[in-house]
Amino acid sequence: MNTVIEVKDLVKEYGKSRAVDRISFDVKSGEIFTLVGPNGAGKTTTVEILECLRKPTSGRVTILGYEIAKDEAKIKKRIGVVPQEFNAFERLTVLENVKLIADIYGRKGELKSYLELLDLWDVRNKKFKILSGGMKRRVGICMAAVSEPEILFLDEPTTGLDPEARRETWGVIKKLKETGKTVFLTTHYMEEAEKLSDRVAVIVKGKIVAMGAVKEMIEKHGGGYRVFTKVGGKEVEAIFKKYTDSIIKVDGGLCGKFLGKRDAAKVALDLYSRDIEAEIVEPGMEEVFLSLVGRKINERGEFE
């Protein structure tokens, strides 16, 4: 795949504070690349530099072969942006908002395909102000996509949405990828990064602490599989000890850690054969982040 974004030793300082600290990464054509981390990690600052909205203190950034320092106008014509604090014209309908952007960019084609792709056709004549939060976010993505950009920047696209609306938005983002779009995503939701991304960069305090394909990140940093029981006692502990030395007490029960799924399944079957219920939990990005940083992020994007 072709490289469409290249970032080398990017730094952004505000006075004596360094919001982005010598980060480097690239983004391939057609992939979903995600910067994931807590609030204040430098995600939005980074994406706004890539969108040519902020100037870097130092470092080199190229978008689609253009340098942001010299080719801002050319870059802006070829990217779409949905900012974290997105809003549209409240008194206009969905269709009117989307058409406005299409007209600005000189896109004269049929808008129905975009509205259908993002499941907005049935609400096209509703005013923006009466839509749900999830639907409004979808309109924002449609407005960004209708300019036919080669790269879409989505900054925290599901923040503040309920779980159902969040998952619906994930479906929309997946559809965009299926059309060949490159998507640059920022989020503090580990599950979102895991479900959507081809590659992930974990950013904390302005530094990228790990980066790679989701599956590789989980295998390397996820800490293995876990088997949980709600009951403890010597009998259950003895069963665990046949398979692993890594056992901890959790909420009145036990948890055993295993490097592979096969070993986790063996102990679970052994427990089931003795009428002891067990749950196998596969590692994910939550475990990756906890392993790398030592802390979890709550719903608000703050460290727990």
Side-chain angles (χ1 to χ4, degrees):
M1 291 186 291
N2 296 328
T3 298
V4 293
I5 299 175
E6 289 184 280
V7 177
K8 181 68 173 175
D9 294 330
L10 180 63
V11 173
K12 179 60 179 178
E13 295 175 340
Y14 297 98
K16 295 182 179 180
S17 175
R18 181 168 284 194
V20 177
D21 192 359
R22 294 185 67 83
I23 65 172
S24 299
F25 60 87
D26 60 41
V27 179
K28 306 298 183 183
S29 175
E31 74 172 342
I32 297 179
F33 181 93
T34 302
L35 270 184
V36 62
N39 295 342
K43 303 188 303 295
T44 295
T45 299
T46 299
V47 79
E48 288 182 349
I49 290 171
L50 301 185
E51 295 163 353
C52 303
L53 298 177
R54 295 183 187 270
K55 295 189 181 298
T57 303
S58 63
R60 184 172 182 270
V61 178
T62 59
I63 310 289
L64 297 165
Y66 297 112
E67 292 192 26
I68 61 169
K70 298 186 294 186
D71 303 306
E72 179 179 324
K74 293 177 181 177
I75 292 170
K76 286 184 175 179
K77 287 181 179 179
R78 298 175 67 177
I79 65 173
V81 174
V82 182
Q84 189 172 342
E85 301 297 332
F86 164 78
N87 213 334
F89 292 97
E90 293 198 343
R91 295 182 181 275
L92 296 184
T93 65
V94 171
L95 179 58
E96 288 168 341
N97 269 295
V98 174
K99 187 176 184 303
L100 178 64
I101 299 301
D103 289 344
I104 289 172
Y105 279 86
R107 308 302 187 195
K108 303 298 184 183
E110 175 62 60
L111 300 182
K112 184 178 180 180
S113 59
Y114 288 99
L115 293 163
E116 287 182 333
L117 177 68
L118 301 180
D119 296 325
L120 292 169
W121 182 249
D122 291 341
V123 298
R124 65 190 181 280
N125 293 318
K126 289 187 176 182
K127 289 190 176 181
F128 182 81
K129 66 179 180 180
I130 68 170
L131 300 178
S132 67
M135 200 67 76
K136 286 180 175 179
R137 208 65 61 90
R138 204 177 300 177
V139 172
I141 295 172
C142 189
M143 291 170 70
V146 78
S147 66
E148 299 180 5
E150 294 169 61
I151 305 172
L152 269 172
F153 291 96
L154 307 180
D155 190 10
E156 297 275 7
T158 65
T159 295
L161 301 184
D162 61 65
E164 182 179 356
R166 186 172 298 151
R167 282 170 173 75
E168 289 174 353
T169 305
W170 293 353
V172 166
I173 295 170
K174 288 178 180 177
K175 285 182 179 180
L176 290 169
K177 173 182 165 59
E178 289 168 3
T179 67
K181 291 281 187 289
T182 302
V183 179
F184 190 103
L185 178 72
T186 74
T187 185
H188 63 264
Y189 298 118
M190 295 300 146
E191 184 183 9
E192 182 164 292
E194 182 177 339
K195 296 294 185 183
L196 293 179
S197 312
D198 294 293
R199 291 190 300 139
V200 172
V202 177
I203 185 169
V204 179
K205 295 182 179 179
K207 292 180 178 288
I208 291 179
V209 297
M211 180 169 54
V214 171
K215 184 178 180 181
E216 293 171 357
M217 294 272 282
I218 292 172
E219 289 176 352
K220 185 175 181 180
H221 304 288
Y225 291 76
R226 292 167 172 80
V227 177
F228 290 89
T229 64
K230 293 183 179 180
V231 297
K234 292 183 178 179
E235 180 188 2
V236 178
E237 189 171 346
I239 295 170
F240 271 113
K241 284 184 175 178
K242 290 196 297 184
Y243 302 95
T244 181
D245 294 325
S246 181
I247 306 168
I248 57 174
K249 294 180 180 180
V250 180
D251 297 329
L254 291 176
C255 169
K257 294 183 180 180
F258 304 86
L259 291 178
K261 190 173 186 178
R262 182 176 296 179
D263 289 337
K266 284 180 181 178
V267 71
L269 286 171
D270 201 340
L271 290 162
Y272 283 132
S273 71
R274 301 162 195 262
D275 294 323
I276 301 169
E277 291 189 7
E279 178 188 8
I280 299 177
V281 177
E282 297 188 10
M285 283 302 300
E286 289 278 2
E287 288 73 27
V288 169
F289 190 85
L290 182 60
S291 172
L292 290 168
V293 183
R295 302 171 72 181
K296 288 187 176 182
I297 302 174
N298 63 23
E299 181 75 12
R300 298 185 301 276
E302 302 163 346
F303 280 124
E304 291 185 347

